[in-house]
Amino acid sequence: MERPDLRDGIPVDLDRPLRLVAVHAHPDDETLATGVALAHHAAAGDDVHVITCTLGEEGEVIPPGLAHLEGSEALGPHRSGEVARATAALGVTHHWLGGDLPRWRDSGMVGSAAAAHPRALAGADVEEVAAVLAEQLAALHPDVVLTYDPEGGYRHPDHVQTHRVTVAALARLAERHPEVPSPRLYVALTPRSWAEEDRRWLAEHVPAAARAEEGGRITVPDADDPYPPSVVDDGRVTHAVVDGAALPAQVAALREHPTQVTVHDGWFTLSNDVAARLPAREGYARWDRTAP
């Protein structure tokens, strides 16, 4: 199934480069969820921006040499440096939501004590956060905005909240800044056929010696294991960015997030040691700004 890219429907007579903004919850999400699209558009000469909502203070730390950062106040500033280097590798401009540093804080995974923090993003008033994001979007005048689907990719509370906030911010942008053309909103989704193909690829390419059943650490998902909610029926994915030339930039950016990501040959793992493919393609769905 061939899908149009993110330029679909954008006027071809723009007197400036296409402007694309990705809104994400934590450092590393920009590269994991939308890195192919960001690198692809940056290489094409487009004006590409990332807005990150929190410092990622609750992230689990992978390298033993950096284990002292986990759970400490030093992790957020460290991840700030990671995202600065990663976005530079992608060729895009980075911003924090709300100014020089984000006003809100990483809420942690579902059930985390961090969710009770008074600045936790997941517990913040959606309209309050959306008002801040809307002003940043008004200044950037994006043609395209990218973020998570309503399930937040894998139901992380901050990802779910970021979807809500982005939708609300675009509604506020249309109301308060009618002089700014309404951008097209896309959410990141993966066609089921792609996800099935990726699992077959992992089964063939992850070395046997690295696998948990052979004494290693890596888990390769079985074909019948549940998929995250961002994996959907093919017909729900309306647009795609497929670009093998963007993969080296995505890989370089992932390597700048060592606290969160371990990069292998064509695949990567997070702190859970579950293998995931780097397939040089991303799916998106055009999202109605009036939807939740």
Side-chain angles (χ1 to χ4, degrees):
M1 176 180 176
E2 187 170 347
R3 300 173 177 85
D5 64 19
L6 300 180
R7 293 178 179 276
D8 179 50
I10 303 295
V12 296
D13 59 348
L14 287 174
D15 60 358
R16 56 169 176 76
L18 182 80
R19 188 165 297 133
L20 185 148
V21 176
V23 184
H24 284 289
H26 316 107
D28 80 9
D29 292 333
E30 80 293 328
T31 309
L32 290 166
T34 58
V36 173
L38 299 180
H40 170 82
H41 282 275
D46 294 330
D47 186 13
V48 186
H49 299 256
V50 170
I51 297 175
T52 306
C53 298
T54 78
L55 288 169
E57 297 93 334
E58 297 299 317
E60 297 176 334
V61 175
I62 296 172
L66 297 175
H68 63 281
L69 295 172
E70 188 167 330
S72 78
E73 290 302 313
L75 180 57
H78 184 91
R79 293 190 72 184
S80 173
E82 290 186 340
V83 76
R85 293 186 293 273
T87 49
L90 292 170
V92 309
T93 302
H94 183 255
H95 312 262
W96 295 108
L97 178 63
D100 293 337
L101 287 173
R103 299 186 190 180
W104 290 276
R105 192 180 188 283
D106 187 346
S107 309
M109 300 295 285
V110 173
S112 169
H117 193 283
R119 291 194 297 110
L121 178 66
D125 180 78
V126 169
E127 293 302 324
E128 179 185 355
V129 186
V132 174
L133 177 58
E135 292 307 308
Q136 286 185 268
L137 294 176
L140 291 171
H141 288 229
D143 304 295
V144 172
V145 174
L146 308 179
T147 195
Y148 315 97
D149 71 291
E151 298 277 6
Y154 59 97
R155 299 194 178 101
H156 189 295
D158 286 339
H159 292 201
V160 173
Q161 181 78 323
T162 299
H163 171 87
R164 295 190 193 111
V165 164
T166 303
V167 172
L170 290 176
R172 186 182 182 94
L173 181 68
E175 294 168 1
R176 303 293 179 90
H177 296 278
E179 77 283 1
V180 177
S182 294
R184 291 172 176 254
L185 174 61
Y186 294 92
V187 300
L189 292 170
T190 301
R192 182 172 294 274
S193 64
W194 286 10
E196 292 170 349
E197 181 182 320
D198 289 347
R199 286 193 176 178
R200 291 193 295 270
W201 186 95
L202 289 167
E204 296 172 0
H205 289 83
V206 175
R211 303 185 188 205
E213 62 267 28
E214 298 294 334
R217 299 179 57 181
I218 307 301
T219 297
V220 176
D222 291 331
D224 56 353
D225 283 348
Y227 288 103
S230 57
V231 175
V232 298
D233 292 341
D234 283 27
R236 291 182 57 192
V237 180
T238 60
H239 293 68
V241 179
V242 181
D243 183 7
L247 184 59
Q250 185 189 29
V251 169
L254 285 176
R255 292 190 189 281
E256 297 297 347
H257 286 293
T259 61
Q260 308 300 304
V261 185
T262 304
V263 181
H264 302 271
D265 186 11
W267 53 285
F268 69 92
T269 53
L270 303 178
S271 59
N272 59 7
D273 288 322
V274 176
R277 189 184 178 193
L278 289 166
R281 61 189 181 190
E282 291 165 353
Y284 294 92
R286 177 83 185 275
W287 199 255
D288 180 355
R289 292 187 295 104
T290 64

